[in-house]
Amino acid sequence: MKTTVCLPLIAVAALMAFSCSKENTNVISKGIPATFTFESPVIEDEEGPDSKIYIHNQSAVGTSGDTRPQFRWNAGDIINIFSYSIPEDWSEGEFTQWPAFVAQAGGATATFKGVIPDPYADGYFLILSSKYNQSYTVSKQDNTRGRLNIKCNIPALQDGSGVNYAIFGARPKYSASDKKFTFVAINDISTGNSSVSAYNNQFALKSALSCFSIPADAHITKVKITVSRSDNATGLYLASNGNKQDIQINSLGFAFSGGGDPTITLYKDGDELPTELYFASRQVEGKANQYYPILTFVFTNASGQTATKVLKLTTDNGTTLKNIFVGRLTKLGTVTFGPDDFQ
């Protein structure tokens, strides 16, 4: 039989319900009651580690005096849980994609209803949350013990909220006896069981999240952001190619790779965009003394005029880089416009 499970959780991110792929999922024969309590997600930003983002007020003031987006759970939000075993012979490892757990109401805490599969592959756990992604494709990396590859989509068209397209996740421990997750440092199977930071195992932002400010009197309705390389070579991407699940997450360290579109467009049905804009992406990194990333912004105002601004992600022409990292809120600064910028 299947038993409904209720899971009250502390706010993590404003997320929407989406379906979960059943590939490689064990047959569900019954449910197991459980209560899981999660801390709000941790974000590392440029002003210090372990700053938190919530889900309620877009202009809330953080401890260091800057504004931080705050969010809350919405009814219909979900978490996706993957459990897996890591035997000595990784080729014999199994994993289970659990059915989605759905929030029944929104707020700082939320009760999630769902079914814990029984049986399920046991030992290690991965939890992902995303408002945008409707499913994930999960596979084992055959030559790396303990590594799952998770394929997802980061869209090239976003609304400026950022978090609506971001991916949050954790690799917690799980106690089947009291049905609780704990977010502490765990051993890294891929490097001989050496200790790894607890940060990778907290519920935290895993994709990149960037922000910048625009003046209200510019009446901006669209922003196109394109990444390129200073050496004019190709290969840097911000987002997925259309609907493809072409961005891959490495479960061991939450490294992102892949993608297919160097441009992200911020647009809300022609409405004027807010003065604080965020976009989710994969990481963007240069190589010191070889090349640095360049972000080209094309702003369109309500009159259909455009202005272009260029941001070089380096402080001294390539020796010191200003990369966009996954798991971090990267602040790109404030945009200003002169009287002749819009044409």
Side-chain angles (χ1 to χ4, degrees):
M1 61 176 292
K2 297 182 179 180
T3 302
T4 296
V5 181
C6 297
L7 300 91
L9 292 91
I10 295 174
V12 176
L15 306 169
M16 182 182 294
F18 58 88
S19 62
C20 179
S21 170
K22 296 298 186 293
E23 180 182 359
N24 293 314
T25 302
N26 289 323
V27 175
I28 301 169
S29 59
K30 63 181 180 179
I32 305 172
T35 299
F36 303 152
T37 301
F38 297 164
E39 293 184 355
S40 53
V42 176
I43 279 191
E44 180 183 2
D45 70 8
E46 296 168 315
E47 298 182 6
D50 293 349
S51 56
K52 295 182 188 247
I53 98 174
Y54 307 88
I55 311 182
H56 177 59
N57 182 355
Q58 191 77 0
S59 60
V61 178
T63 56
S64 55
D66 61 321
T67 57
R68 299 251 174 84
Q70 294 187 341
F71 304 95
R72 291 286 186 267
W73 287 106
N74 290 328
D77 293 346
I78 79 150
I79 58 172
N80 279 286
I81 302 173
F82 306 85
S83 60
Y84 52 104
S85 62
I86 307 180
E88 289 294 332
D89 185 351
W90 176 232
S91 66
E92 298 177 357
E94 298 179 349
F95 68 91
T96 304
Q97 295 191 24
W98 294 22
F101 284 79
V102 182
Q104 303 303 293
T109 61
T111 298
F112 285 69
K113 289 186 178 181
V115 176
I116 296 178
D118 184 17
Y120 58 82
D122 196 6
Y124 292 79
F125 293 81
L126 170 69
I127 305 178
L128 296 177
S129 293
S130 169
K131 176 176 179 178
Y132 180 80
N133 281 270
Q134 298 300 302
S135 64
Y136 299 97
T137 300
V138 184
S139 62
K140 293 190 300 183
Q141 179 75 29
D142 290 338
N143 58 355
T144 305
R145 183 175 177 230
R147 171 174 167 176
L148 299 180
N149 295 325
I150 302 100
K151 293 289 187 71
C152 66
N153 181 280
I154 296 179
L157 179 62
Q158 302 184 18
D159 62 9
S161 64
V163 73
N164 288 345
Y165 312 94
I167 297 170
F168 295 81
R171 285 193 305 156
K173 288 184 176 180
Y174 178 65
S175 171
S177 60
D178 56 13
K179 310 300 182 293
K180 289 183 181 289
F181 285 103
T182 55
F183 299 88
V184 297
I186 63 175
N187 290 331
D188 187 345
I189 292 297
S190 67
T191 56
N193 291 337
S194 59
S195 178
V196 296
S197 168
Y199 177 75
N200 274 343
N201 308 299
Q202 289 174 295
F203 217 132
L205 176 72
K206 298 307 178 186
S207 59
L209 187 63
S210 302
C211 67
F212 61 96
S213 301
I214 58 175
D217 59 7
H219 306 293
I220 302 300
T221 59
K222 181 188 292 186
V223 184
K224 291 184 69 174
I225 309 159
T226 301
V227 65
S228 60
R229 288 171 45 152
S230 59
D231 60 0
N232 295 318
T234 59
L236 292 183
Y237 301 108
L238 292 173
S240 295
N241 181 5
N243 294 323
K244 292 182 179 179
Q245 289 185 325
D246 55 9
I247 291 179
Q248 179 170 282
I249 309 170
N250 174 351
S251 69
L252 290 178
F254 289 106
F256 279 55
S257 60
D261 199 327
T263 299
I264 284 178
T265 300
L266 308 182
Y267 184 73
K268 292 182 68 176
D269 297 324
D271 296 339
E272 288 190 18
L273 295 173
T275 57
E276 295 288 332
L277 291 172
Y278 295 78
F279 63 92
S281 71
R282 55 151 294 172
Q283 74 267 25
V284 175
E285 300 181 57
K287 291 187 177 180
N289 299 313
Q290 296 185 42
Y291 68 89
Y292 54 85
I294 300 170
L295 294 179
T296 301
F297 296 76
V298 178
F299 298 89
T300 301
N301 64 18
S303 299
Q305 298 172 308
T306 61
T308 301
K309 299 287 184 177
V310 176
L311 176 62
K312 298 178 180 179
L313 297 184
T314 177
T315 58
D316 51 8
N317 202 32
T319 302
T320 303
L321 302 172
K322 181 181 175 65
N323 296 313
I324 296 176
F325 294 108
V326 293
R328 179 179 298 181
L329 176 62
T330 301
K331 299 176 181 178
L332 300 176
T334 300
V335 180
T336 59
F337 298 105
D340 299 323
D341 282 348
F342 284 93
Q343 303 293 329

